[in-house]
Amino acid sequence: MSTPPSARDEILARIRTSLGDRTSTVEIPRDYHRTGGSPVGSPELLELLTDRLVDYKATVHRATPADFAAVLASVLESAGRVVVPAGLPDGWAPPAAVVDDGSLSWAELDAVDTVLTSCTAAAAETGTIVLDGSPDQGRRAVTLIPDRHICVVRADQVVRGVPELLGRLDPRRPLTFISGPSATSDIELQRVEGVHGPRKLIVVLVSD
């Protein structure tokens, strides 16, 4: 007795029948702007990124390399219990921070108040920060379950637009795009924060 075709196979068969001999590929136009014309990490881009993040209800703290430690310590004063990825740079984590080695359960992550990470890159035009699961950013669960995310962004990680941003990313890595606190307005257009991730996003933007 033969196995009946699956719905997937049936759909694909119908598509192939409809296409017939039309197997040529369609050229995708690539003449869009791939760079924004502003130097990476320029003051203009940092101002634009800050404006977008604030518009998304994130909190932004500016710091220089000289006062970064003091600014971060100030931000962490009200952070509660903090979890950090195992590869966070030395000196960033508060003394009592919980270090995630990949073994913390979802319930244990839900018991902490804040996660502190670095990032991979950011796009000023869209106010988007990207994490790629590197050792200083941690696994997705670590950055999605705690209610508050403190993210450190360096000026040399800030580009203007999405094409430049994508050019800096490795699509084989687990990429997380963050544009402000997690929020949705799916139900009766009422904004609800914290549905898919942290309700609070705090960015420490470091530049000379």
Side-chain angles (χ1 to χ4, degrees), residues 6-47:
S6 66
R8 175 180 179 277
D9 292 336
E10 186 172 342
I11 291 171
L12 291 176
R14 290 183 183 181
I15 293 174
R16 292 189 188 99
T17 299
S18 299
L19 290 175
D21 296 330
R22 291 175 292 174
T23 57
S24 60
T25 57
V26 177
E27 291 296 329
I28 300 174
R30 302 287 187 185
D31 55 349
Y32 48 80
H33 292 292
R34 292 175 180 253
T35 61
S38 302
V40 173
S42 66
E44 176 194 0
L45 293 187
L46 301 185
E47 289 299 324

Side-chain angles (χ1 to χ4, degrees), residues 6 15 24 32 34 46 54 80 96 108 115 124 126 134-135 146 160 208:
S6 66
I15 293 174
S24 60
Y32 48 80
R34 292 175 180 253
L46 301 185
V54 170
E108 289 171 316
V115 57
T126 58
S134 293
R160 174 170 286 277
D208 291 328

Side-chain angles (χ1 to χ4, degrees), residues 12-93:
L12 291 176
R14 290 183 183 181
I15 293 174
R16 292 189 188 99
T17 299
S18 299
L19 290 175
D21 296 330
R22 291 175 292 174
T23 57
S24 60
T25 57
V26 177
E27 291 296 329
I28 300 174
R30 302 287 187 185
D31 55 349
Y32 48 80
H33 292 292
R34 292 175 180 253
T35 61
S38 302
V40 173
S42 66
E44 176 194 0
L45 293 187
L46 301 185
E47 289 299 324
L48 183 59
L49 175 64
T50 300
D51 178 76
R52 296 293 189 270
L53 288 169
V54 170
D55 191 49
Y56 292 151
K57 301 184 183 303
T59 302
V60 180
H61 296 268
R62 300 292 294 267
T64 66
D67 66 6
F68 167 69
V71 172
L72 183 59
S74 175
V75 172
L76 287 168
E77 282 181 354
S78 58
R81 193 172 181 220
V82 179
V83 64
V84 298
L88 202 67
D90 293 339
W92 285 25

Side-chain angles (χ1 to χ4, degrees), residues 22 25 27 77 105-106 115 123 127 129 144 146 167 173-174 178 180 204:
R22 291 175 292 174
T25 57
E27 291 296 329
E77 282 181 354
S105 68
W106 293 2
V115 57
I129 298 169
L144 293 179
R173 299 194 61 81
I178 303 169
V204 179

Side-chain angles (χ1 to χ4, degrees), residues 96-185:
V98 177
V99 179
D100 177 59
D101 60 0
S103 64
L104 295 177
S105 68
W106 293 2
E108 289 171 316
L109 290 173
D110 193 40
V112 301
D113 304 293
T114 301
V115 57
L116 169 64
T117 73
S118 181
C119 76
T120 297
E125 282 185 340
T126 58
T128 303
I129 298 169
V130 182
L131 312 180
D132 72 353
S134 293
D136 59 350
Q137 297 155 48
R139 56 192 171 121
R140 270 208 177 115
V142 173
T143 57
L144 293 179
I145 294 178
D147 199 38
R148 181 189 295 110
H149 184 181
I150 300 174
C151 186
V152 177
V153 181
R154 302 190 316 270
D156 63 2
Q157 296 174 313
V158 181
V159 298
R160 174 170 286 277
V162 172
E164 283 181 275
L165 180 69
L166 295 179
R168 287 184 161 226
L169 305 178
D170 182 348
R172 297 167 297 183
R173 299 194 61 81
L175 302 174
T176 301
F177 291 69
I178 303 169
S179 294
S182 169
T184 180
S185 299

